[in-house]
Amino acid sequence: EPSIGEAPAWNIDEARTREWNVSLQFAAPFKSALEISYVGMSMDNQVTMRPYNEVAPGNYPDLQAAKPYTAFGQINVLENLGNSWYNGLQMKWERRFSKGLSFMASYAFGKNLGENMPQYETDLLIPFAPKGYTRGRTAWDRTNILFVNAVYELPFGRGRSYLRDMNRVADFLIGGWQLSGINSFTSGSPLSISTPGATLGNGWDTRANLVGDPGVSNPSASGWFNTAAFAAPAAYQFGNSGMGIIDGPARHILDLGLMKNFHITESKYLEFRLEAFNAF
């Protein structure tokens, strides 16, 4: 059967975004500044794709014959159906370069919720889903995001706090070293638990039923969540578990660097740089 894979609705419109924030800034110890912000955002009229040539969950001996337009396979239409909301607490602590040291730490604690918001606009919405079934954490929601970076010039060598009068040969080897690092931590992406096998009978899957606590005390690769907390729903029924009720593995990376400029003349130098990405 011919299909209409991706057609825009006749009245499709642009998505609308609203953003707002309130920030407070303070002077902080160590010649630094602290900023604390509440950040909010809402988006509506986001483009998502709805399948039209589908039937309600049930038992169909001939699924194609039961479709509204039997001469067609899929009929998918891009429409303004998606909405999302973000609320977050954001903090930044920064010291600009002074006396050989600079650093910045930024942290965000937030939640991004959506409705009718598949990960990609060309993903299909589940037809005949109950009200609120597609409302929950979006695919890009991250509860905690932390970044810390610093640059530190070791205080040894000519013109520095210690051994400032060393001879030029010793300074060429010992003085002027610089350490740097970037430490980042990002919470895992939200995971939803589905039941495979087109259990709705109309060619579509559903999420599993939640029958217990999905959490485990020490998540690992061999057991990230409690699988006994989920069960397949009855045939032709939507599962009751929510969207994004489990966090996937977090991302934690430390990058380190060691650098020194070996000056041959005032304007000419050789740079030594040793870097370790994802050092541990």
Side-chain angles (χ1 to χ4, degrees), residues 57 115-116 126-135 206-207 237-239:
E115 186 169 24
N116 295 335
I126 300 176
F128 298 96
K131 183 176 177 59
Y133 191 77
T134 61
R135 181 185 176 100
T206 177
R207 294 196 296 271
Q237 299 295 315
F238 282 89

Side-chain angles (χ1 to χ4, degrees), residues 31-107:
K31 298 182 178 180
S32 64
L34 178 65
E35 180 177 342
I36 302 175
S37 305
Y38 160 69
V39 177
M41 181 184 69
S42 70
M43 297 181 67
D44 55 41
N45 272 4
Q46 296 188 72
V47 176
T48 56
M49 192 152 62
R50 176 190 288 180
Y52 273 90
N53 201 25
E54 306 295 331
V55 295
N59 182 16
Y60 297 95
D62 187 342
L63 182 58
Q64 183 62 36
K67 292 190 174 186
Y69 305 97
T70 57
F72 288 88
Q74 291 185 327
I75 300 178
N76 304 323
V77 181
L78 293 165
E79 299 181 278
N80 298 111
L81 299 173
N83 303 286
S84 64
W85 308 267
Y86 173 81
N87 289 281
L89 171 68
Q90 298 181 4
M91 295 184 287
K92 183 173 73 171
W93 184 30
E94 182 179 19
R95 169 183 166 128
R96 297 187 177 180
F97 199 79
S98 175
K99 295 185 177 180
L101 175 65
S102 70
F103 61 77
M104 185 176 72
S106 58
Y107 170 70

Side-chain angles (χ1 to χ4, degrees), residues 7 35 44 77 109-110 115 141-142 145 178 180 209 217 273:
E35 180 177 342
D44 55 41
V77 181
F109 173 75
E115 186 169 24
D141 177 62
R142 301 293 184 274
I145 301 175
Q178 183 183 89
S180 62
N209 275 344
S217 56
R273 182 185 294 268

Side-chain angles (χ1 to χ4, degrees), residues 170-232:
D171 183 65
F172 184 82
L173 298 174
I174 300 173
W177 288 93
Q178 183 183 89
L179 297 173
S180 62
I182 302 174
N183 185 59
S184 63
F185 174 87
T186 305
S187 292
S189 58
L191 306 178
S192 302
I193 307 302
S194 62
T195 302
T199 56
L200 292 176
N202 59 356
W204 291 81
D205 298 329
T206 177
R207 294 196 296 271
N209 275 344
L210 183 64
V211 296
D213 181 4
V216 294
S217 56
N218 295 298
S220 66
S222 60
W224 191 255
F225 61 92
N226 177 20
T227 57
F230 297 93

